[in-house]
């Protein structure tokens, strides 16, 4: 078992999100560590290469239509991250890439290390001294040979591709991790070999020794949240709920997905300047990077909601996996702000009966949108603003993303124009009488009753 660094303990950490084109199910998240530009460049290059490979391999899904909102299992690329070490000398980032291009889901791992003294990123084999990779490969082969007929040690080659994910456990053993089906049959799951501490010590480079020391000094993490955990926290509610009566006022709800990211704090300042508040559907792996920003969102009257842990398409997943994706983010938010989210939005707006059932069990109402600004990496602020303003009506839920610069640029115009038209910007529950929303119900807007709102709109935040 590897130990990971709690990202909330690192001041100045933020995350970057890369999404695909509109009809692609692509979500990539990677961390930006303070004062480590060489690491950021390397991580960006790594995930960009993944995206390019996916673009080449994945068949383009047909655009969604109202009759056929989504194919059951479209191609998908998902990149998530963990910190394997963080010390004054060295940083380790483990990227986990999940890919579906037909057939079966495929997970792969890649761990990038960063030498803070030289400002250089190194691939995992850089943990080893000159010539030691062959020795590690031989050791790993011997170990795998003992593991039965469905493991293929012959596939282990002493090259960078095979050994692209090496880390250390708390004991200081060198842990070599393999991708799905890289060296073993699929049903065996994740395959890893630990080279024991003492043996590994003789094989490490200077950076490797520093990396091992850093991994061994990771403070023990918080215990995993228990079922009782959530109940210790009240349900999330805007600190300004009750100040607007939407039966009287012309209310709309702005919603922002996929953050928090590097623009979120700018967005928040704009909202507060205009006396507006919004609902943020956040990705858990971004939440843990910026707990202080979450507290600011809470304090300024906006609401934090659940957009899954790593933005996987939840529809094809088992209830256990869906539960993990949603409850981990609930727990992370609760830990940061002391309130448990009661709203969720499914990545890509993609639902299944299982997702609905799990949401209900977790006390989460499902929030879609009825105004689609179609914002994205290539959209202009003018277009985003025009769609938001053009679509606004009483009770509307407007879908946007706080990970695109152009979206943030559109916000002042949206707020100014709609304020002039008499609109008031509230959080989603405030659209409903008594702020009441039912867990497991699907809400498309504040205009319709949940019973009428069963089919998701044809678009994909
Ligand atoms: Zn999203």
């Amino acid at each position: 078992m590897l130990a990971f660094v709690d990202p909330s303990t690192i001041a100045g950490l933020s995350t970057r999100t890369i999404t695909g084109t509109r009809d692609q199910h692509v979500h990539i998240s990677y961390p930006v560590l303070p004062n480590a530009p060489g690491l950021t460049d390397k991580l960006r290059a790594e995930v960009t290469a993944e995206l390019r490979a996916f673009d080449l391999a994945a068949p383009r899904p047909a655009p969604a239509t109202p009759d056929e909102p989504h194919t059951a299992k479209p191609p998908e690329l998902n990149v998530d991250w963990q910190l394997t070490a963080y010390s004054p000398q060295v940083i380790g980032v483990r990227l986990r890439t999940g890919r579906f291009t037909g057939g079966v889901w495929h997970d792969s791992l890649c761990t990038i290390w960063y030498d803070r003294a030289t400002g250089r990123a190194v691939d995992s084999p850089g943990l080893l001294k000159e010539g030691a990779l062959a020795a590690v490969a031989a050791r790993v082969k011997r170990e795998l040979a003992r593991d039965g007929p469905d493991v293929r040690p012959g596939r282990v080659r002493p090259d960078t591709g095979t050994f692209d994910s090496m880390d250390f456990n708390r004991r200081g053993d060198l842990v070599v991790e393999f991708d799905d089906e890289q060296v073993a049959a699929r049903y065996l799951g994740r395959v890893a070999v630990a080279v024991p501490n003492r043996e590994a010590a003789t094989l490490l480079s200077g950076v490797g020794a520093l990396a091992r020391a850093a991994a061994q000094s990771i403070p023990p993490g918080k215990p995993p949240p228990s079922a009782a955990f959530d109940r210790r926290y009240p349900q999330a509610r805007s600190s300004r709920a009750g100040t607007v009566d939407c039966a009287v006022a012309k209310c709309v709800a702005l919603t922002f997905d996929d953050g928090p990211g590097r623009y979120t704090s700018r967005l928040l300042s704009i909202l507060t300047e205009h006396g507006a508040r919004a609902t943020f559907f956040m990705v858990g792996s971004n939440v843990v990077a910026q707990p202080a920003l979450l507290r600011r969102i809470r304090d300024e009257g906006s609401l934090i909601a659940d957009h899954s842990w790593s933005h996987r398409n939840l529809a094809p997943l088992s209830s256990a996996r869906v539960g993990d994706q949603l409850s981990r983010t609930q727990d992370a938010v609760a830990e940061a702000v002391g309130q448990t989210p009661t709203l969720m939005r499914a990545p890509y707006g993609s639902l299944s009966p299982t997702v609905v059932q799990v949401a209900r069990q977790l006390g989460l109402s499902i929030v879609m949108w009825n105004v689609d600004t179609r914002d994205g990496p290539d959209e202009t602020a003018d277009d985003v603003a025009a769609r938001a303003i053009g679509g606004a009506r009483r009770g509307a839920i407007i879908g946007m993303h706080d990970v695109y610069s152009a979206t943030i640029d559109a916000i002042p115009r949206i707020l100014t124009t709609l304020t002039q038209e008499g609109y008031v910007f509230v959080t989603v529950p405030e659209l409903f009488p008594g702020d009441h929303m039912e867990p497991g119900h699907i809400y498309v807007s504040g205009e319709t009753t949940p019973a009428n709102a069963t089919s998701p709109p044809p678009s994909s935040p």
Side-chain angles (χ1 to χ4, degrees):
M1 285 294 269
L2 298 171
F4 298 107
V5 179
D6 177 355
S8 69
T9 60
I10 299 173
L13 171 65
S14 66
T15 54
R16 295 287 182 270
T17 300
I18 299 175
T19 58
T21 56
R22 195 164 165 71
D23 292 305
Q24 273 184 323
H25 285 193
V26 171
H27 188 94
I28 294 169
S29 172
Y30 65 94
V32 174
L33 280 304
N35 307 316
L39 177 60
T40 305
D41 291 345
K42 172 76 175 170
L43 292 172
R44 190 189 307 113
E46 200 65 40
V47 299
T48 307
E50 290 285 1
L51 180 56
R52 216 172 295 130
F54 174 79
D55 268 336
L56 293 173
R60 278 301 161 103
T65 69
D67 298 331
E68 197 66 53
H70 296 283
T71 53
K73 241 182 143 187
E76 184 176 354
L77 175 69
N78 188 276
V79 183
D80 191 15
W81 57 273
Q82 288 158 309
L83 293 175
T84 57
Y86 188 81
S87 76
Q89 291 81 31
V90 73
I91 302 171
V93 178
R94 182 178 185 250
L95 295 173
R96 185 177 46 203
T97 299
R99 246 170 86 144
F100 176 77
T101 54
V104 289
W105 184 266
H106 183 272
D107 274 320
S108 57
L109 295 165
C110 175
T111 305
I112 308 286
W113 295 88
Y114 182 70
D115 181 347
R116 299 177 88 170
T118 63
R120 262 203 227 119
V122 289
D123 294 314
S124 285
L127 297 174
L128 305 175
K129 62 185 179 197
E130 202 71 34
L133 186 57
V136 172
R139 179 70 164 80
V140 166
K141 270 188 183 183
R142 281 206 303 280
E143 203 65 43
L144 290 174
R146 296 209 291 253
D147 284 351
D150 290 329
V151 178
R152 287 151 209 139
R155 291 204 195 155
V156 175
R157 301 216 162 73
D159 57 31
T160 307
T162 310
F163 288 87
D164 64 351
S165 199
M166 290 194 275
D167 328 86
F168 298 92
N169 62 20
R170 271 189 205 290
R171 283 203 309 261
D173 306 331
L174 175 72
V175 180
V176 181
E177 297 185 283
F178 294 101
D179 303 342
D180 282 356
E181 294 178 274
Q182 196 173 17
V183 295
R186 172 165 199 90
Y187 76 90
L188 291 171
R190 168 178 173 255
V191 175
V193 173
V195 178
N197 184 328
R198 228 175 271 161
E199 204 179 326
T202 63
L203 302 167
L204 299 180
S205 64
V207 181
L210 295 171
R212 186 171 71 145
Q216 287 191 275
S217 64
I218 294 173
K222 303 172 202 98
S226 67
F229 180 86
D230 275 347
R231 279 174 236 135
R232 286 197 278 131
Y233 294 100
Q235 298 192 330
R237 189 165 188 258
S238 164
S239 59
R240 293 184 51 209
T243 58
V244 176
D245 181 359
C246 291
V248 179
K250 219 162 89 174
C251 294
V252 285
L254 300 178
T255 63
F256 296 95
D257 295 359
D258 296 1
R262 60 173 146 169
Y263 310 121
T264 307
S265 112
R266 176 154 64 99
L267 168 61
L268 206 56
S269 300
I270 299 169
L271 289 171
T272 300
E273 222 171 88
H274 285 79
R277 42 193 204 278
T279 307
F280 290 85
F281 291 89
M282 291 184 167
V283 173
S285 63
N286 291 338
V287 163
V288 289
Q290 304 192 77
L293 181 59
L294 263 79
R295 289 191 282 275
R296 200 185 138 201
I297 291 173
R298 175 200 62 193
D299 294 343
E300 297 187 14
S302 285
L303 187 63
I304 299 163
D306 192 335
H307 196 41
S308 84
W309 181 263
S310 66
H311 209 279
R312 281 284 302 273
N313 176 14
L314 301 180
L317 301 185
S318 68
S319 59
R321 300 290 300 282
V322 173
D324 184 59
Q325 281 279 334
L326 293 176
S327 65
R328 274 181 80 189
T329 298
Q330 277 184 301
D331 293 339
V333 173
E335 180 117 338
V337 303
Q339 297 179 337
T340 302
T342 61
L343 309 180
M344 69 84 82
R345 177 172 284 163
Y348 313 109
S350 175
L351 295 172
S352 69
T354 302
V355 174
V356 174
Q357 187 195 353
V358 172
R360 182 179 302 121
Q361 285 161 356
L362 293 172
L364 292 164
S365 303
I366 299 163
V367 179
M368 306 296 285
W369 58 93
N370 68 331
V371 177
D372 189 351
T373 60
R374 306 212 298 276
D375 62 336
D378 306 321
E379 292 297 317
T380 65
D382 285 349
D383 289 343
V384 173
R387 291 181 195 124
I389 293 164
R393 50 196 180 272
R394 191 184 199 127
I397 298 176
I398 301 176
M400 286 178 280
H401 298 79
D402 53 330
V403 292
Y404 305 128
S405 180
T407 300
I408 314 306
D409 294 340
I411 298 302
R413 207 171 331 156
I414 294 170
L415 294 175
T416 304
T417 307
L418 292 181
T419 301
Q420 281 163 3
E421 293 179 12
Y423 286 100
V424 181
F425 303 90
V426 299
T427 63
V428 171
E430 293 170 81
L431 295 176
F432 300 93
D435 294 8
H436 181 74
M437 296 178 74
E438 202 62 49
H441 279 234
I442 300 167
Y443 296 85
V444 176
S445 81
E447 305 161 303
T448 45
T449 61
N452 299 336
T454 48
S455 62
S459 48
S460 48

